[in-house]
Each structure stands twice: as C-alpha cells, then as structure tokens.
Amino acid sequence: DGSRFKENKRAVEDKYIGVLVKTSMNRCIQCTRCVRFSTEVAGVPELGAIGRGEDMEITTYLEQAMTSELQSNVVDLCPVGALTSKPYAFAARPWELGKTQSIDVMDALGSAIRIDTRGREVMRILPRTNDDVNEEWISDKTRHVVDGLRTQRLDQPYIRSGGRLRPATWKEAFAVIADRLRPVDGPRVGAIVGDLAGAEEMYALKDLIGRLGSTNIDARQDGSALDPTWGRASYLFNATIAGIERADALLIVGANPRREAAVLNARIRKRWRQGNIPIGLIGEKADLTYTYDYLGAGAETLAGLASSKFAESLKAAQNPLILVGAGALARKDGAAILAATAKAAADFGAIKDGWNGFSILHSAASRVAALDLGLVPGKGGQAAAQMAAGSVDVLFLLGADEIEVADGPFVIYIGTHGDRGAHRADVILPGAAYPEKSAIYVNTEGRVQMANRAAFPPGDAREDWAILRALSDVLGCRLPYDSLTGLRQALYAAYPHFMRIDQIASSDAAAIGKLASLGGPADKAPFVSPVVDFYLTNPIARSSAIMAECSALAHAAHKTAAE
C-alpha cells in the first residue's frame, strides 16, 4: 500500500515564445527537435535548453518572442504537443474538419498545403510534403493568415454615389458599369491584374478587354520590366527550387529571399550548410541566416562584377546560380538590369547543357501565369503605371491592391477585401479568395499547380471568372464559356502547358542570350527588396489580426536590435 521511494512531482512553467506558438511545457520530453529546427533549418537560433538533469527546460532567451518566419513548423515537429498552435488552440477537433489539398499563394513559391475547413469556414492551414518545392515546411504567413480570410471581406456589390459606397445588387452594379462603358472607346478602357489572381480569371479578363477593343492590360503592378516576348526563360527560376542543391556558387542580385520566399531561403541555407558554396549579394544588407560576401548595393557593382574577387568563385563553379529579385527589375532601368544579369549568367557559364542558372525570384503568385498568358500591354497599349496615373477612362482592377490609382478613371474593382483597391473603387464586385475557388497557378520556377476549392465565398461573393462572364453578357460581348470546365478547355487550347499539372514546361535558354544583348543605361540607385514587411504583403495578410501582431513584434525586435 506504499512506496519506499519519494520523488518530487516535476512541474514546468509555460513559457511565452511569441504570438504563434503556445507552450504546455509539462509535456516536454527535451527531445530538442524544436531547438535543432530553429538552429539548423530556420537558421535563427532562438530556442535552447537551460538547467541540467531533471531541471532542464526548453526556452527562448528571457522569454523573448521567436522572430523566424518559419517558427510555427516546430508545432508540426513537437512529438508530445508541448508546442502547439496558439491561434488555433481549442478552435476545432480534427474529426470535424474537411481536408482539401491545395497550393499557397502568399508568395511565388507555390508551397503544397492542406486547408482544413468546418462548414464554410477555413479553420487552419497545414503543410504537405513536396520535395520539389517546399519539402515539409511552410512559412508563418502561409499558416496563420487564416483569420484574414474572415475579416474585412467584401460579401456584396457596392456602388459609389454621392462620394460614398452603398450596398447594391449585382444587377444594379452591372447596369452602372454598362452605362459608364457605353460611350467609352475601346482604347480608353484598361485593366490591372493583382498578385493573387488565378490563371482562369486572368484569361477571362484578357478575353473581355480584347472584346471591348483594348490592348491596355498589365499584370505587373509593381512596374517590372519583364516581358513574355523575350522568351519564357527570361522570367523563370530556371535552376528550379530543388536545383538550388546542385548549385556550387550563388550570386543574389536585388533580392532578400528571407522576406520574399522564406521557404526558398531555408533551401539556400540547407545547401550552404553542406559546404563549398560561395554566396555573394548585391543589394540591401540583411540577415539571410547564412554568411555571404557583400559585394555592393546597386547596378554599378553588377557592371563591375567581372573584375571583383567573387567573379573567380563564379568562374570556378560547375553550376553557378544567379538569383535575380523582383525588386531589381521593378525600376525604370529594370530592362537594363535584366540584360546585365543575363550577360553575367552567360559570361560565368551559368547556361549550358543540363544547367540553366539564370533564375528570377518572383514575389507575386500570379506573375508567371500572367506572363505566360501575355498579360502585358499589346501594340499601342498602356502599362499599369500609365493607367493608374489616369490615362484611361474606365479601369478594371482584378484584385490589384498594391498600386495607387489617381483620380479620374472610373474604377471597377473585383476583389475579396476592403483594401486599397476597394477604397478607390466606383463599383465593387466581390470575388473569391484562393481557398474558395478552384484555380491554376504557376510558381516562380514555371511549375503549373492546381489550387482546389476548400470553402465557399461569403454572402453574394462569386468566383472571379464567373463575375467576368456575367458582366460580358450585360456589356454585349459575351465570353464563349458557361462553366469552369469550358473556360479551362479554351485556356488549354490556347496555352497547352497549363493542362500539365505539377510539371514545368521546357523553356529555350537561348532567350537569355538575346536578353543579354539588350543592354541599356543603368541607374545608380541601390537595389531595394519589394517586400518591406514580410507579414503584410497582400490584402488577406493585411486583414489578419495575427499578421498585424507578428508585424508589430518584428518591428519592435528590429528597433531593439538597431538601438
């Protein structure tokens, strides 16, 4: 009835380690998986052990919040549930959830995800294993943007009257658009495509704008110099994401991979940990979680690369990789920078049989598909910046929220959230977010991917392609497809590579040689990353309270470090 041994009950206090990871440290068995992940994979050694023997505890330094963009992966790694998801805690039981395999659109990587829904509501997002793209990791933005899908949503059409937006019916909204478009000539109509659009709605919008007699359509709302007429290889991550592990020298031009594609940055770090890879950076200095040679800030450094010490490392490499960021190309001299990087790739032997090291890292999920579809101004057409400045009378915004539209044009906004585009709009048509529609995306390496519908849009919101199809009827230029299947058949007929899901269509490396011959004068301004705040890059993220909290913590940590 008794024991000869007396042992103290061991209790461990729960730690605060940030807004994303909840701790229940009585469960912890000190396996140190979380410590090894944050140190080795994420490259931000914030977790560690204190104490010895039975007093050992896992913690951050002085209960500081974790700052890695990949920190929530420790929840998947923890074998005992000592680390769990703080936003999702006690929200649902796993057996209540419908599970849908899909694709992430928070960056251009196209990470494989699983969307868990209960009824009409998205409850959580988890990673799926895909060794070619994200391995088994996803970024914190991908995982925790879920609450942004519920807040500030557009769930019915709106019309601006008397300077204020008022709720309306679909019929009223379409009638207002038709009345406004009737007297307008085709060339005075334009369209700008946003960063989260799927291939189907982009194809439908291009078709509609063409039928209205306009060539003013542009998906490069950041002003990027990329153009599909230069060939597909000129805008792809040609080395492929998995190909990073084959590279033996890396030059990063005008990019901050840690902010623009956190999971890809972890892949670069994985290659760096294997050793024997010199890494050079031209652009903003940043903590990329691996050591690199800082070569300079802008185009002058790029022009003088051949005479630098780092050039010897590139020449000696069998598979040199030149990674060009979207920020370097979204400038007035973007075409000259693209030509200069293409020339560097050719000069240093980055393009040869079995290896193409010239790689563009996009920051927008829709960009590659848009370039594949030719969503750039046609003959006599106007670019996004010109249209936004007021050079057209009627402007369609397909989820375009990263561009300021001047007073003047009549703006028709098709989107999901009350963000910048909706504030400027004269008519708002509520669309579907990425978990609420079946859509094709093409990631930065040119891999065609299918995002599946996991839930339904709220209220009166509809899928974007269906909105454009219904509107075309009212405008008297009916689009020739009545279903998503019909639309996809038209898309596949015009662009066959879109039907090859999870495959990368081959691209002609000769295009990079032509690109190198373009030349042009370059500006002296330093390269700047297009992603200023990792957590607030799109309308869904900006609507998320969790992302806002993460952003505030990141800025506080940065400020403390700077001081």
Side-chain angles (χ1 to χ4, degrees):
D1 64 338
S3 171
R4 292 178 293 158
F5 301 102
K6 288 217 170 20
E7 288 185 61
N8 295 325
K9 185 76 176 169
R10 182 176 181 273
V12 184
E13 199 175 305
D14 291 345
K15 310 290 190 300
Y16 170 80
I17 59 173
V19 296
L20 302 179
V21 182
K22 179 175 182 283
T23 59
S24 182
M25 299 314 286
N26 274 337
R27 299 169 174 174
C28 182
I29 56 169
Q30 288 94 36
C31 67
T32 69
R33 274 179 151 193
C34 54
V35 177
R36 283 178 290 147
F37 172 82
S38 57
T39 306
E40 296 170 18
V41 179
V44 187
E46 298 168 309
L47 284 173
I50 57 169
R52 297 178 67 182
E54 69 169 18
D55 296 323
M56 181 175 162
E57 296 179 22
I58 302 291
T59 182
T60 57
Y61 181 66
L62 295 178
E63 292 215 342
Q64 188 182 341
M66 293 170 74
T67 58
S68 167
E69 296 82 6
L70 299 168
Q71 59 177 282
S72 291
N73 288 292
V74 298
V75 171
D76 299 331
L77 288 170
C78 185
V80 291
L83 304 175
T84 55
S85 172
K86 194 177 272 187
Y88 178 70
F90 311 117
R93 300 291 185 198
W95 57 84
E96 300 172 337
L97 304 175
K99 300 167 181 66
T100 309
Q101 295 192 352
S102 192
I103 294 299
D104 171 51
V105 300
M106 292 296 115
D107 54 33
L109 214 60
S111 299
I113 58 172
R114 192 186 88 192
I115 302 172
D116 286 1
T117 52
R118 184 173 61 187
R120 295 182 71 117
E121 193 175 8
V122 176
M123 299 303 292
R124 67 175 175 181
I125 291 172
L126 296 172
R128 285 190 295 124
T129 303
N130 184 342
D131 288 333
D132 290 332
V133 182
N134 59 310
E135 297 180 291
E136 58 260 70
W137 319 122
I138 53 172
S139 74
D140 294 337
K141 183 166 54 177
T142 300
R143 189 186 297 258
H144 291 297
V145 82
V146 169
D147 66 320
L149 293 164
R150 298 191 276 266
T151 48
Q152 297 187 339
R153 282 302 298 268
L154 301 170
D155 59 357
Q156 63 187 106
Y158 288 85
I159 297 168
R160 192 176 295 279
S161 60
R164 296 176 72 87
L165 288 165
R166 65 168 180 83
T169 63
W170 281 102
K171 201 172 180 181
E172 280 179 282
F174 283 172
V176 169
I177 295 167
D179 289 346
R180 191 68 181 79
L181 268 169
R182 207 165 282 125
V184 177
D185 290 335
R188 302 293 297 170
V189 178
I192 301 174
V193 177
D195 292 348
L196 306 181
E200 290 88 350
E201 55 256 34
M202 290 195 286
Y203 178 79
L205 181 62
K206 184 187 179 188
D207 201 351
L208 178 62
I209 294 295
R211 287 165 191 270
L212 290 171
S214 175
T215 56
N216 302 325
I217 188 163
D218 201 351
R220 306 163 305 175
Q221 55 178 337
D222 58 356
S224 174
L226 295 167
D227 194 316
T229 57
W230 294 333
R232 198 164 187 253
S234 69
Y235 57 83
L236 291 185
F237 198 95
N238 293 296
T240 72
I241 296 161
I244 289 170
E245 294 180 31
R246 288 176 57 206
D248 51 2
L250 170 62
L251 174 66
I252 300 170
V253 181
N256 181 338
R258 185 174 169 184
R259 281 209 300 246
E260 292 164 39
V263 176
L264 181 132
N265 194 61
R267 182 80 77 144
I268 296 173
R269 179 180 160 77
K270 179 183 178 183
R271 173 64 188 89
W272 171 80
R273 286 187 71 241
Q274 289 165 4
N276 194 29
I277 179 166
I279 301 175
L281 173 70
I282 302 174
E284 287 178 291
K285 267 188 176 176
D287 176 12
L288 297 179
T289 73
Y290 39 83
T291 55
Y292 57 82
D293 295 326
Y294 184 67
L295 307 178
E300 286 182 321
T301 309
L302 183 61
L305 183 65
S307 57
S308 71
K309 195 178 175 188
F310 189 76
E312 296 167 19
S313 302
L314 285 171
K315 281 175 187 164
Q318 288 297 307
N319 297 330
L321 198 164
I322 296 179
L323 187 157
V324 189
L329 308 177
R331 308 169 11 137
K332 286 180 181 172
D333 62 344
I337 301 299
L338 189 65
T341 49
K343 186 174 185 305
D347 290 349
F348 292 115
I351 299 146
K352 57 183 127 179
D353 283 346
W355 179 256
N356 184 344
F358 179 75
S359 301
I360 307 289
L361 177 59
H362 292 278
S363 55
S366 66
R367 191 64 48 85
V368 175
L371 292 168
D372 282 351
L373 292 168
L375 263 67
V376 294
K379 196 174 179 184
Q382 297 173 34
Q386 293 170 280
M387 290 188 273
S391 63
V392 292
D393 294 335
V394 176
L395 182 60
F396 286 86
L397 297 181
L398 182 62
D401 290 282
E402 318 303 322
I403 191 166
E404 290 284 355
V405 180
D407 293 337
F410 181 83
V411 176
I412 300 150
Y413 176 75
I414 304 169
T416 57
H417 286 73
D419 208 80
R420 188 181 295 156
H423 285 293
R424 172 61 188 85
D426 295 292
V427 175
I428 294 173
L429 305 175
Y434 71 100
E436 298 158 2
K437 62 188 176 189
S438 177
I440 293 169
Y441 289 89
V442 185
N443 79 348
T444 193
E445 60 183 351
R447 185 183 299 275
V448 180
Q449 298 174 304
M450 180 76 77
N452 294 311
R453 176 197 271 161
F456 288 89
D460 280 341
R462 296 289 179 267
E463 290 184 47
D464 304 43
W465 76 265
I467 294 170
L468 293 164
R469 165 66 185 81
L471 180 59
S472 70
D473 252 355
V474 178
L475 299 179
C477 50
R478 183 179 175 181
L479 297 177
Y481 24 80
D482 297 326
S483 66
L484 185 60
T485 308
L487 169 53
R488 282 193 177 142
Q489 281 172 347
L491 173 68
Y492 297 157
Y495 304 94
H497 73 277
F498 276 99
M499 73 173 81
R500 293 193 280 277
I501 303 299
D502 206 37
Q503 291 181 37
I504 301 171
S506 60
S507 53
D508 186 6
I512 297 161
K514 292 176 195 166
L515 202 59
S517 63
L518 287 175
D523 199 344
K524 288 185 178 177
F527 297 138
V528 180
S529 169
V531 179
V532 179
D533 190 327
F534 169 77
Y535 296 102
L536 305 175
T537 52
N538 59 57
I540 304 174
R542 287 191 287 270
S543 300
S544 164
I546 296 163
M547 291 298 103
E549 209 172 336
C550 289
S551 173
L553 266 175
H555 281 297
H558 183 70
K559 195 175 173 187
T560 308
E563 285 166 0

